[in-house]
Amino acid sequence: MDRTEWQIQRKGDEQLAVRPLDGGEPRLVDDYVRHLVAELREYNAQRVPQARMRLRAVLHQGLVELADNGFAGTAVVATARLLNAPPLYEALAAHPGADLAVLLSDDVYRSTVAGGHTAMSPGDFTRVAVQVKEYEATAWLHVPVHGTATAAPQEPGTADTGSPAVPAPGEPAAGRRGPAAGGTDRTGISNAYSAENINVTNVAGAVDARGAVFGFGSAGG
């Protein structure tokens, strides 16, 4: 994931990064996207809403040729078409709280997410139909909103099959369960804060928690 080893071609406010197929593709889909979301959130926290940086990202794989004016090949063309796909723009417009919208080509999605090689699940993505100029393909959309996997809006001509949209924070949602009186929701989980029940675990060094599940509860149950 060392970007100093990537070959990067810049074009205005866009960039095309080429890296070798070395078996690290699941980390690119999983870890890199997660860290990119965290960096964008930290960057935008220091800025007024009008100055936020919001990005579209595409991950594709294929053969790339080195030409006189940069990179060439069908994989490069497909990446450019996917980056200009309407579902990316529509997803950012539908989720103003999101800093990033990610589109995976069908090949990348099937070899990483659907293959079970990432901490993400197929339910974190929405299948969309992409048609830009002469390019037509199936792709998979993921919109992280404050750490929550958010599906794309299902609109005619943009979405195929997939998970229903999850509202961004602050948006109304029919049937959403809220806490009942006394701070306990319908699942029986208490939202009450009790300082004496806090336990702190200190971990020294790096921890690889990919695929891990963490549970937190008070001493009193």
Side-chain angles (χ1 to χ4, degrees):
M1 296 296 101
D2 184 0
R3 278 177 55 86
T4 62
E5 298 180 356
W6 297 9
Q7 300 183 60
I8 298 177
Q9 175 180 307
R10 304 183 187 278
K11 176 186 174 183
D13 61 352
E14 299 178 3
Q15 64 174 234
L16 173 67
V18 178
R19 60 181 305 275
L21 290 173
D22 56 4
E25 291 72 36
R27 289 198 61 203
L28 189 66
V29 174
D30 200 337
D31 297 348
Y32 183 75
V33 169
R34 177 166 47 84
H35 282 283
L36 182 56
V37 171
E39 292 289 339
L40 283 170
R41 185 176 302 133
E42 181 179 355
Y43 178 89
N44 289 332
Q46 309 300 322
R47 283 156 179 81
V48 297
Q50 295 80 1
R52 285 171 55 208
M53 180 184 293
R54 308 180 72 211
L55 300 182
R56 310 181 324 276
V58 167
L59 300 178
H60 184 44
Q61 61 187 14
L63 297 178
V64 176
E65 305 170 8
L66 185 59
D68 293 337
N69 59 344
F71 300 113
T74 56
V76 174
V77 174
T79 301
R81 298 293 184 260
L82 289 169
L83 189 62
N84 289 311
L88 278 175
Y89 293 96
E90 293 165 358
L92 287 174
H95 303 288
D99 298 322
L100 177 72
V102 181
L103 199 62
L104 304 186
S105 69
D106 194 54
D107 287 344
V108 171
Y109 171 82
R110 294 187 182 280
S111 62
T112 57
V113 178
H117 299 295
T118 72
M120 295 181 177
S121 69
D124 294 326
F125 290 82
T126 296
R127 181 179 178 180
V128 296
V130 174
Q131 182 172 3
V132 179
K133 296 184 178 181
E134 75 287 352
Y135 180 82
E136 295 184 16
T138 294
W140 298 85
L141 182 66
H142 174 63
V143 186
V145 179
H146 296 294
T148 302
T150 305
Q154 300 268 337
E155 296 183 4
T158 62
D160 207 22
T161 59
S163 303
V166 177
E171 293 181 2
R176 172 180 288 172
R177 291 185 174 183
T184 302
D185 63 18
R186 294 183 180 89
T187 64
I189 299 175
S190 174
N191 297 310
Y193 174 77
S194 183
E196 65 270 18
N197 289 336
I198 293 179
N199 292 322
V200 178
T201 300
N202 295 314
V203 179
V207 176
D208 187 348
R210 287 176 293 175
V213 178
F214 295 92
F216 299 91
S218 66

